[in-house]
Amino acid sequence: MKIRLLLTFIYPALLTSLALANTTSTAEIKALEIIRQSDEVRSPNKPFRYTVTVKEFKSEESAPIRQQVLDISMRFLKSDNGSAADARSLARFVYPPRNKGKVMLSDWYDLWFYTPELRRPIQISRQQRLLGQISNGDVIVTNFEYAYHSVLLGEEPCGNRVCYKLALERKSPEVTYPKVIYLVEKESYHPYKAAYFSLDDKLIKEVSYQDYKPLLGKERPAKIVVVDARYGNGYSVMEYSDVRFESLPLFHFTKEYIQRGGN
Amino acid sequence: MKYLPLLMLSVGLLPARLLASCPPDIILFGQLSYAQKQPSLWRINEENPYAANNIYNDLVIKYANSCQLIDEKLDLDVSLYGLTYYSYRNIGVFEKDDSRTRLLIDKLQLSYVISDSMRSDVGKLRPKGGLFYLQSPASLMNNYYSGFKPSRIYDAAMRPVYSESFWGAVVAKDTEKNSVSLTVSPKLTRIDKWYQSSGNWSATERSNASERYMLSYSDYRFDNNTPSVNVMLGDSRSIAFSNGYSYSPQWVVNFELAYHFNQQWRHLETRRAEMVQNYAFPAELYSVANDNGVELALGLQYTTERFSQFGIEYYFQSEGYSVSEWQKQTDLINFLNQEMKVVPLAQAFDAYKYLMASEIYNTSSKGNLLGKHYINTYASFLMSDHSSLQSFVVLNIMDKSSLLGINYNKPLDQLDKRLEVYTGAYTSFGSHDSEFGLFGETIGTYLGFKYHF
């Protein structure tokens, strides 16, 4: 709660002071490099697939009050040697069993939901993306480099290490969260924490990246804890498993493929 | 059932290790239902050919599995259903099925990745549905109903399964900009038992009794519109256009228009009906004419932020029976119902009634409506406890007969996260000579469960 309050009050002040400074500096270039490196930790530059188990907790209870399992395919590719950048994902609902057949498709900042009962994929509006303790967009990795302008605010201790502190501001209204304060560990570029803010600088969510382990050739977080400011002391844990590279052809990420039962 | 060995062979060829890595999806449906029918125009041996009321037990087991046979190249998708039912009272002669147990191969699909944007599917495939709940003119790959006559599972998930999937192949190229596909469904048999309901035909008769080639194109480059065109060639030729216009993520206007170069379903031939009324006895009463026809559907749909949905649809088909054509059909039924003292004549008339009832039933069982103008309204509410409530009202604008239904589904998470229960009621209203009242006004109710293993 203290962190949340601190961020709520300090974040706007920091942004204001940064706006006053001349920001076309090496700080911005450095910030971009940090974001790039940390994006690469959160998501490799090759198509991959994983299972995410989302558990929702009430703070006083050890057992989750709700659990959901999704099978996620990601094409999260940065522009490289002339190849085009890509940011698509497909989330197939696995558990509870009643949700089988439901699919969420994201294509850059467009998000679609499909269930066999509906005739067509339904576009998820910006408001819908924020519903629930884990929102529709949370289970899918966001490409921070393409989605946000970034500014390096400085360095600060994080756990027993030192982190870069960055202020991120979305490049377009299509990005779900307007502002982010992002902590990235120095040297390793491991994401440590991201605090998401509304346009009026109210804290929405705080995300901690935990349980780093070797995954797809690099140390990556296998657990993400999300604390939603709107849900009191409740929090959610996303656990990643069965992470593997797959070729994942482009047609998997089309509305047509989903409607033809290819999910 | 004759495809069971083929299925067993294909499953048997899979390495055990592979099967172990593909956990199956098994669901058991159980349902108790009650239906009450008012007397109709139809009489067989001067008796009502439908049970006035009856109670049914339905049981369905689903087995589905999806496996990569060759990593990231070749997938196998299997979905099978075993169906059975039991009635507490004797069912009417018009409701009888040859068997009360049935196996449906809903999907037996091999998918091969040709390239980043192309794939090919071969096997028993499910056609892509249209934009409308009542009837989609652009949905040209329709097949016959495969369930039992007097009873079925009313859970929403079972609705598409009851329409037989087809043996065939699809080659599709899907990109973010557009999709183009060619679907081939070869003719493997012909239907000659028009006096029987489609549920009693073989699965191949329900799905592959005509030669069909369909070319489809959808364009996703327009922000708010998704136009599509389907061209059907083969035994029946059609061209269909559709568009979904999104005014906002919530409001969608759907439109579909189809032009057919011949009739889509078998119609009562006036000339043959008159022959029967003149005591001449043709072998068939119904046929498909080479008449051009148009189908049109318009719909407005609203989806809330929590995915509840409300909509209204209008549907028109030029080949629907006019008032006078429909009158000829009911006149013939009345003629055949007259008391016959001569036994062979009475038997011949009864045989015609079986034929007519089956022909009308089979037209509907392929998803067709018999009239010209319809309105459909529907609502689907999704609650925060994951329960859902769906309702619909279909009105035949010309004869004012209607269908109404309501269904409630609730997961019992507190008891078991794998268990859901559902209940609902349906009714058909209309006069004896109306479309939805022709087989007797009906009211039914049901209670069922769905268990995911």
Side-chain angles (χ1 to χ4, degrees):
Chain A
M1 193 65 172
K2 275 182 183 169
I3 294 169
R4 195 182 305 153
L5 285 171
L6 194 69
L7 288 168
T8 308
F9 289 110
I10 291 175
Y11 178 76
L14 285 170
L15 279 185
T16 310
S17 60
L18 276 161
L20 293 171
N22 182 358
T23 54
T24 56
S25 62
T26 51
E28 274 194 2
I29 298 162
K30 175 80 175 165
L32 188 63
E33 181 56 24
I34 295 165
I35 294 291
R36 265 188 199 148
Q37 296 273 7
S38 63
D39 274 358
E40 172 62 27
V41 171
R42 288 159 66 240
S43 169
N45 203 25
K46 276 170 75 178
F48 69 109
R49 194 164 171 174
Y50 57 90
T51 300
V52 60
T53 303
V54 183
K55 295 174 180 171
E56 287 181 34
F57 293 87
K58 279 186 178 170
S59 63
E60 68 274 14
E61 288 172 18
S62 57
I65 53 165
R66 202 167 293 125
Q67 187 168 320
Q68 199 170 24
V69 180
L70 299 112
D71 170 11
I72 301 197
S73 298
M74 289 281 307
R75 276 174 73 103
F76 186 83
L77 312 176
K78 299 213 173 183
S79 173
D80 189 20
N81 292 332
S83 65
D86 207 348
R88 292 167 214 272
S89 63
L90 191 70
R92 301 168 174 94
F93 291 67
V94 176
Y95 182 89
R98 65 171 177 271
N99 286 342
K100 278 185 181 173
K102 293 178 181 172
V103 175
M104 200 160 60
L105 171 70
S106 78
D107 181 355
W108 287 93
Y109 306 117
D110 288 335
L111 203 55
W112 303 83
F113 176 68
Y114 176 78
T115 170
E117 289 88 43
L118 304 175
R119 288 279 145 147
R120 285 285 180 271
I122 304 290
Q123 190 166 15
I124 299 177
S125 65
R126 253 173 271 156
Q127 292 84 350
Q128 278 169 291
R129 291 178 204 192
L130 294 166
L131 293 173
Q133 200 172 119
I134 286 285
S135 76
N136 296 314
D138 288 337
V139 291
I140 294 159
V141 180
T142 309
N143 185 328
F144 279 164
E145 182 192 343
Y146 292 144
Y148 291 94
H149 294 292
S150 54
V151 173
L152 178 62
L153 300 178
E155 296 175 8
E156 69 174 41
C158 51
N160 53 2
R161 300 193 181 184
V162 176
C163 282
Y164 293 117
K165 185 172 184 175
L166 300 117
L168 276 54
E169 193 156 0
R170 70 181 175 193
K171 291 179 179 173
S172 81
E174 287 143 352
V175 178
T176 308
Y177 300 106
K179 297 170 184 175
V180 186
I181 288 287
Y182 191 27
L183 296 178
V184 177
E185 286 179 19
K186 277 186 82 173
E187 293 169 11
S188 67
Y189 295 102
H190 286 177
Y192 180 77
K193 195 174 275 185
Y196 294 86
F197 292 84
S198 63
L199 272 176
D200 56 355
D201 300 319
K202 290 212 168 71
L203 181 68
I204 303 170
K205 271 176 196 176
E206 227 171 54
V207 173
S208 306
Y209 301 87
Q210 301 175 4
D211 192 17
Y212 276 85
K213 58 171 73 163
L215 291 168
L216 305 179
K218 209 171 211 174
E219 290 263 318
R220 301 181 198 277
K223 184 174 164 184
I224 293 178
V225 178
V226 181
V227 179
D228 193 314
R230 299 162 302 174
Y231 289 85
N233 294 324
Y235 63 98
S236 301
V237 176
M238 295 193 282
E239 291 168 351
Y240 296 81
S241 60
D242 199 17
V243 186
R244 75 256 186 209
F245 285 120
E246 270 195 21
S247 57
L248 299 176
L250 190 62
F251 70 76
H252 279 200
F253 302 86
T254 60
K255 284 178 266 175
E256 193 74 21
Y257 175 71
I258 294 168
Q259 291 170 76
R260 280 208 204 104
N263 49 338
Chain B
M1 288 296 268
K2 66 182 176 184
Y3 292 102
L4 189 60
L6 179 71
L7 181 75
M8 298 309 289
L9 179 69
S10 61
V11 172
L13 287 172
L14 294 173
R17 184 187 60 81
L18 195 63
L19 278 179
S21 66
C22 316
D25 179 20
I26 299 173
I27 305 175
L28 177 70
F29 296 84
Q31 180 186 281
L32 185 70
S33 62
Y34 170 78
Q36 187 179 54
K37 267 183 177 291
Q38 297 299 315
S40 64
L41 278 184
W42 306 89
R43 310 292 292 170
I44 294 285
N45 291 330
E46 294 175 28
E47 287 182 4
N48 184 357
Y50 291 95
N53 55 69
N54 213 337
I55 297 171
Y56 305 93
N57 263 140
D58 280 82
L59 213 57
V60 168
I61 188 146
K62 175 193 176 185
Y63 172 90
N65 210 333
S66 189
C67 267
Q68 284 196 348
L69 301 183
I70 301 172
D71 279 353
E72 301 166 40
K73 209 68 187 164
L74 185 67
D75 294 345
L76 174 68
D77 207 344
V78 180
S79 169
L80 307 172
Y81 288 82
L83 282 64
T84 189
Y85 81 95
Y86 170 80
S87 65
Y88 282 77
R89 293 184 183 162
N90 288 334
I91 54 177
V93 292
F94 270 11
E95 301 173 294
K96 279 189 177 152
D97 289 299
D98 287 350
S99 163
R100 291 189 174 195
T101 307
R102 214 165 268 171
L103 173 74
L104 302 182
I105 304 172
D106 180 49
K107 209 193 248 188
L108 185 59
Q109 176 178 315
L110 273 171
S111 296
Y112 181 73
V113 177
I114 299 169
S115 72
D116 204 33
S117 60
M118 276 187 84
R119 70 161 178 162
S120 175
D121 300 332
V122 180
K124 197 147 195 274
L125 313 174
R126 180 145 290 291
K128 181 184 154 190
L131 295 169
F132 293 86
Y133 287 95
L134 179 63
Q135 172 74 312
S136 282
S139 184
L140 300 173
M141 292 288 291
N142 300 318
N143 298 318
Y144 285 95
Y145 175 75
S146 55
F148 302 114
K149 279 187 88 173
S151 182
R152 46 168 279 227
I153 294 282
Y154 291 98
D155 182 78
M158 281 297 290
R159 197 176 303 129
V161 176
Y162 280 120
S163 174
E164 191 77 46
S165 50
F166 66 95
W167 292 97
V170 178
V171 180
K173 182 177 171 64
D174 299 331
T175 67
E176 70 271 40
K177 291 177 181 165
N178 53 42
S179 286
V180 60
S181 68
L182 174 67
T183 305
V184 177
S185 171
K187 181 174 183 169
L188 301 176
T189 186
R190 65 188 297 272
I191 300 165
D192 50 16
K193 297 181 196 127
W194 290 108
Y195 53 86
Q196 283 191 352
S197 55
S198 61
N200 289 331
W201 298 343
S202 69
T204 321
E205 285 172 317
R206 288 192 290 265
S207 63
N208 285 76
S210 58
E211 192 176 321
R212 295 178 290 182
Y213 307 93
M214 190 169 78
L215 191 63
S216 302
Y217 176 81
S218 296
D219 205 307
Y220 293 104
R221 283 174 293 187
F222 304 95
D223 279 348
N224 300 323
N225 291 280
T226 310
S228 296
V229 60
N230 293 330
V231 178
M232 173 73 88
L233 298 171
D235 290 348
S236 176
R237 288 176 300 134
S238 303
I239 182 162
F241 303 92
S242 73
N243 187 36
Y245 168 68
S246 299
Y247 173 73
S248 69
Q250 282 77 38
W251 288 99
V252 178
V253 179
N254 292 319
F255 163 80
E256 287 191 5
L257 176 69
Y259 182 82
H260 305 293
F261 292 88
N262 45 350
Q263 287 182 335
Q264 296 301 290
W265 42 274
R266 290 163 65 86
H267 292 243
L268 177 68
E269 275 192 64
T270 307
R271 186 179 57 83
R272 289 184 175 173
E274 285 167 358
M275 282 171 71
V276 174
Q277 284 163 312
N278 291 317
Y279 298 93
F281 300 116
E284 287 194 339
L285 295 176
Y286 290 75
S287 65
V288 168
N290 284 324
D291 294 345
N292 299 342
V294 172
E295 271 183 286
L296 169 74
L298 278 168
L300 180 66
Q301 184 174 285
Y302 179 76
T303 308
T304 70
E305 289 185 348
R306 293 187 183 271
F307 303 109
S308 288
Q309 217 173 52
F310 312 90
I312 183 163
E313 299 173 345
Y314 165 74
Y315 172 73
F316 164 78
Q317 60 174 342
S318 62
E319 72 177 277
Y321 287 118
S322 64
V323 173
S324 63
E325 286 168 337
W326 185 253
Q327 181 71 43
K328 285 197 173 81
Q329 188 144 242
T330 52
D331 284 350
L332 181 58
I333 298 167
N334 284 324
F335 173 79
L336 294 170
N337 275 335
Q338 64 185 296
E339 199 177 329
M340 279 290 141
K341 296 276 189 266
V342 186
V343 174
L345 203 55
Q347 286 174 338
F349 278 20
D350 281 352
Y352 276 121
K353 280 182 273 186
Y354 273 105
L355 176 66
M356 288 186 76
S358 291
E359 290 271 15
I360 295 167
Y361 173 88
N362 289 332
T363 302
S364 304
S365 87
K366 205 178 175 185
N368 296 300
L369 295 154
L370 302 172
K372 282 188 185 294
H373 302 277
Y374 295 86
I375 292 280
N376 176 36
T377 60
Y378 57 89
S380 171
F381 301 90
L382 285 185
M383 324 288 186
S384 55
D385 64 352
H386 301 287
S387 64
S388 62
L389 181 74
Q390 290 110 14
S391 66
F392 66 87
V393 178
V394 180
L395 174 71
N396 179 325
I397 296 172
M398 288 170 73
D399 66 18
K400 306 292 185 289
S401 64
S402 59
L403 296 172
L404 288 83
I406 188 162
N407 182 75
Y408 177 70
N409 182 294
K410 181 166 173 56
L412 294 181
D413 282 357
Q414 302 85 344
L415 208 63
D416 189 333
K417 283 195 163 49
R418 297 172 180 276
L419 183 63
E420 290 171 69
V421 290
Y422 63 91
T423 185
Y426 60 91
T427 181
S428 64
F429 284 122
S431 60
H432 281 185
D433 55 359
S434 67
E435 179 179 4
F436 299 129
L438 187 68
F439 294 109
E441 285 189 324
T442 307
I443 184 158
T445 183
Y446 52 86
L447 175 66
F449 73 87
K450 191 159 71 167
Y451 188 81
H452 302 259
F453 287 95

